[in-house]
Amino acid sequence: GTAIHLVMQYLPLDTAPTAEAVTAQVQALAQRRLLTAAQAEAVDVKAIAAFLRAPLAARIRGAARVWREYRFALLMPAERYAGDAAGEEMLLQGVADCVFEEDGALVVVDFKTDRIAPDALAERAEHYRPQLEAYSLALAQVIGKPVKEKILYFLRRGEQVIL
């Protein structure tokens, strides 16, 4: 999972959507020491090539702005997460895999590397909903634009779920 996330952070989005082109980019990242040799070997290049062919990748390429591995920290009202904490604040921090601006609003994308059965996709997406909701609230405040869409993209399955 870590290796794929590193590739998704640094991969030029105009990389040809073939296993060969992705392999060349992975090797270049290893030469730049952004990936270890073991991480480069572990990367599922076919899954990344499939992503590059997906409509979501085209949307990201066409976006007005794109942030990858966007780190944020924000004080939020604690009662939003714990009902008995009225008047308290908590620090929400995280790293959004990909955020892009489309039509003046944000789309938050979280890449997942889980191995899941076809019938478990919806259940797994619900498991991640609270994380994506929290990230979206924070990113809207930090970047100053509304979030119009939250997407989980399951790389190993080549499928997205819009939350």
Side-chain angles (χ1 to χ4, degrees), residues 1-162:
T2 302
I4 289 179
H5 272 86
L6 283 168
V7 172
M8 295 304 290
Q9 178 180 356
Y10 295 110
L11 181 76
L13 292 173
D14 61 354
T15 300
T18 65
E20 296 78 19
V22 173
T23 298
Q25 288 292 343
V26 168
Q27 290 170 349
L29 291 173
Q31 288 173 349
R32 292 174 48 203
R33 299 188 191 282
L34 294 170
L35 289 174
T36 66
Q39 286 173 323
E41 281 293 314
V43 172
D44 184 343
V45 296
K46 288 181 182 174
I48 293 172
F51 166 74
L52 291 170
R53 290 188 298 273
L56 178 59
R59 287 177 66 191
I60 296 168
R61 283 190 292 272
R65 290 184 68 189
V66 178
W67 299 266
R68 295 199 280 177
E69 292 298 310
Y70 187 85
R71 297 179 189 289
F72 63 88
L74 185 68
L75 283 173
M76 301 285 284
E79 68 253 18
R80 192 171 262 162
Y81 303 100
D84 60 346
E88 299 288 324
E89 289 185 314
M90 65 181 281
L91 181 65
L92 177 64
Q93 53 187 349
V95 180
D97 291 340
C98 181
V99 180
F100 63 96
E101 184 179 339
E102 185 179 72
D103 302 324
L106 303 176
V107 178
V108 180
V109 180
D110 197 14
F111 297 112
K112 297 299 182 190
T113 58
D114 307 38
R115 294 183 195 276
I116 19 180
D119 61 344
L121 189 63
E123 179 183 330
R124 196 69 183 147
E126 283 304 313
H127 170 78
Y128 289 118
R129 182 183 291 277
Q131 174 194 0
L132 224 50
E133 294 287 343
Y135 279 24
S136 295
L137 284 169
L139 290 164
Q141 286 190 8
V142 171
I143 296 174
K145 294 191 181 280
V147 172
K148 74 171 194 170
E149 201 171 359
K150 298 172 277 290
I151 301 172
L152 290 169
Y153 187 87
F154 292 89
L155 284 154
R156 294 188 196 278
R157 296 194 37 115
E159 291 186 54
Q160 72 178 32
V161 176
I162 298 172

